[in-house]
Amino acid sequence: MEFGPQRLFRFTASIIAVLCMSASLQAGISGLNNRAVGGVLIDAEGIVRNATIAEQQELSNAARAALRQAEGEMNQATEMRMISLAKLQKHLQATREAGEPISSDVEFLAGLQRIEYVFVDPDNNDIVIAGPAEPWEMLDDGSVVGTKSGKSTMRLADLIVAFRTVETARRGGISCSIEPTAEGRQRLQNVLRNVKLRPGQNPAIYESAMKQAFGPQMIHLTGVPQDSRYARILVAADFEMKRVAMELAPSNVNGLPSYLQMSKNSRHSAAQNPRWWMACNYDAMTKSEDALAWKLSGQGVKTLTDQDLVAADGDVKAAGRVDKIAQTWAETMTQKYPELAKQIHVFGDLQNIMDMTIAATLISQERLDQKAGIDLSLLKQENEAVELTSYAIPKALNPQCSFVRGRSGWVVTASGGVDIDAFSVVEKQTVDAAVATKRTESLASANDRWWWNR
């Protein structure tokens, strides 16, 4: 499967990156209806555009009005917070029957930052997910992050989508790619063939013609509801990766320059261009001997690269080779990902939905709900008990140009990708007795609430 092909065209004297506008997009349950975050709106036609200052201020104020801060024990950071799925479902059902909105502590899953453990509790017909947690705050761009780590806080909306899409993902996977059309690539090639720059001439004079020729880039989503927050995270993470790579946005991370900075003094093939995509990055899962305790470990996300070969008619195929500079950039982004996720929060969101998808897939694949004797139909949305906010489906983005002088070649790129293959992660398992001890300690500290600290 191809994820987010980028295209390379060679011309004298400049490197030009053409990329789609990014979207740091957030979505909540019914209480946080912010339709634009990070200065970006998706209109009713599915086209991404910048929000005006007035729009951004209005939407940010509305979101802040719905937000409630953590209180009491939840307002303290902890290395291990447990969430009972049985009690969470019961709480959600009671909220629905009372006609009350979902509260912020539920929306943000008690401040959970990662899912590190999944415990089966047959004695109480329960499954418990656990990991570090901390109080949350909303930033000016609408991102909700932990007050201690600055990392994105997990969301109930994403957990529900992770559960409800396991079987869909089993059949076709979960992915996002943003691709220019073959016609657009061909038109751009024709424009570039007719460009003749004089020494010292600024290539920006051709920006309008190139943007018009290239046209909008099309968004392709598989495996998840296209109107969900989960889908928006896939799209936004894809774009932010490309913006950082092509120097349209700074990473704000020491040691992570753009791909253009790395490659501007290198020569490029006339018909090849690197493409990048983000994928799951986990160690083998560890479990107890009785398979009632499981541990997820690893960074969660890595960046991969390959090359595309562009034909004269605009069609593309894999070149079967890797650009060494593109590989170095991918490896650097992977290494710097934890820092990057704190600077560009959609990368933290992506890490979170990968954790949730791994946990939901594990529960389904290993039939942990049957072992626990728990009915997860509410979280799987079999009866649509929780009303998720529906958003305009992202369909296309208009290109944006960035110019960097180089020794040779024009790099023209407009896409990226995300691939979440949770089943491959769950298949790799080892036994570790220490995981059983962690389960015993964690379940022993349970109380009547749907969450608790160890």
Side-chain angles (χ1 to χ4, degrees), residues 146-442:
T147 57
K148 180 180 178 182
S149 67
K151 181 185 173 297
S152 296
T153 303
M154 288 191 163
R155 306 285 190 99
L156 173 64
D158 302 330
L159 181 64
I160 288 174
V161 172
F163 271 112
R164 69 182 288 192
T165 56
V166 171
E167 295 308 314
T168 304
R170 188 190 304 276
R171 295 190 295 271
I174 296 174
S175 67
C176 169
S177 64
I178 303 146
E179 306 175 12
T181 64
E183 295 79 9
R185 291 191 297 264
Q186 188 176 30
R187 288 193 301 267
L188 184 59
Q189 284 182 312
N190 292 335
V191 168
L192 292 176
R193 276 194 287 266
N194 294 320
V195 169
K196 300 191 183 303
L197 283 177
R198 296 186 299 275
Q201 187 177 18
N202 189 341
I205 62 173
Y206 295 103
E207 175 182 345
S208 178
M210 285 191 292
K211 289 171 66 174
Q212 183 176 358
F214 211 19
Q217 279 65 65
M218 311 312 294
I219 297 171
H220 302 276
L221 287 159
T222 64
V224 295
Q226 297 189 16
D227 64 346
S228 65
R229 169 186 150 85
Y230 192 121
R232 287 194 164 200
I233 291 170
L234 296 178
V235 173
D238 183 354
F239 285 125
E240 292 291 5
M241 174 181 64
K242 297 307 301 165
R243 280 165 55 84
V244 171
M246 304 314 294
E247 212 167 70
L248 291 171
S251 71
N252 295 320
V253 173
N254 290 334
L256 181 58
S258 70
Y259 168 75
L260 289 187
Q261 287 177 302
M262 289 184 174
S263 65
K264 63 183 179 181
N265 292 320
S266 301
R267 294 188 178 275
H268 303 279
S269 166
Q272 293 181 16
N273 194 44
R275 58 187 173 92
W276 296 275
W277 69 96
M278 289 172 286
C280 293
N281 185 24
Y282 291 85
D283 303 329
M285 301 196 73
T286 54
K287 62 179 180 179
S288 58
E289 188 70 41
D290 58 8
L292 295 180
W294 298 77
K295 182 178 180 180
L296 289 69
S297 59
Q299 181 167 280
V301 186
K302 62 183 174 183
T303 305
L304 302 173
T305 186
D306 200 347
Q307 279 196 10
D308 288 324
L309 189 62
V310 184
D313 62 0
D315 285 340
V316 228
K317 65 178 181 180
R321 293 188 296 275
V322 173
D323 177 344
K324 291 183 178 179
I325 299 174
Q327 180 68 43
T328 299
W329 189 85
E331 292 172 351
T332 304
M333 180 176 172
T334 299
Q335 179 186 3
K336 297 289 185 177
Y337 198 90
E339 298 171 60
L340 187 63
K342 295 178 183 179
Q343 296 295 327
I344 303 176
H345 297 103
V346 71
F347 292 122
D349 290 329
L350 180 63
Q351 187 180 55
N352 287 347
I353 65 173
M354 285 193 176
D355 276 6
M356 294 177 181
T357 303
I358 300 302
T361 303
L362 169 69
I363 291 169
S364 175
Q365 192 77 343
E366 296 295 325
R367 297 182 174 86
L368 301 187
D369 51 345
Q370 296 178 26
K371 291 183 179 180
I374 182 177
D375 178 3
L376 292 174
S377 59
L378 190 150
L379 286 176
K380 292 179 180 179
Q381 282 290 82
E382 293 178 3
N383 56 4
E384 297 188 356
V386 178
E387 182 181 355
L388 299 180
T389 301
S390 178
Y391 295 85
I393 297 173
K395 296 178 180 178
L397 292 101
N398 295 320
Q400 174 185 327
C401 296
S402 174
F403 302 92
V404 177
R405 303 290 294 187
R407 183 163 59 95
S408 173
W410 278 4
V411 178
V412 183
T413 185
S415 32
V418 181
D419 174 28
I420 301 181
D421 182 3
F423 291 94
S424 294
V425 176
V426 171
E427 287 174 358
K428 300 175 182 178
Q429 305 174 6
T430 61
V431 174
D432 182 359
V435 184
T437 302
K438 185 73 71 172
R439 170 183 175 272
T440 300
E441 295 173 350
S442 299

Side-chain angles (χ1 to χ4, degrees), residues 119-128 292 367-375:
F119 301 131
V120 182
D121 185 4
D123 294 337
N124 294 294
N125 303 119
D126 201 0
I127 292 176
V128 175
L292 295 180
R367 297 182 174 86
L368 301 187
D369 51 345
Q370 296 178 26
K371 291 183 179 180
I374 182 177
D375 178 3

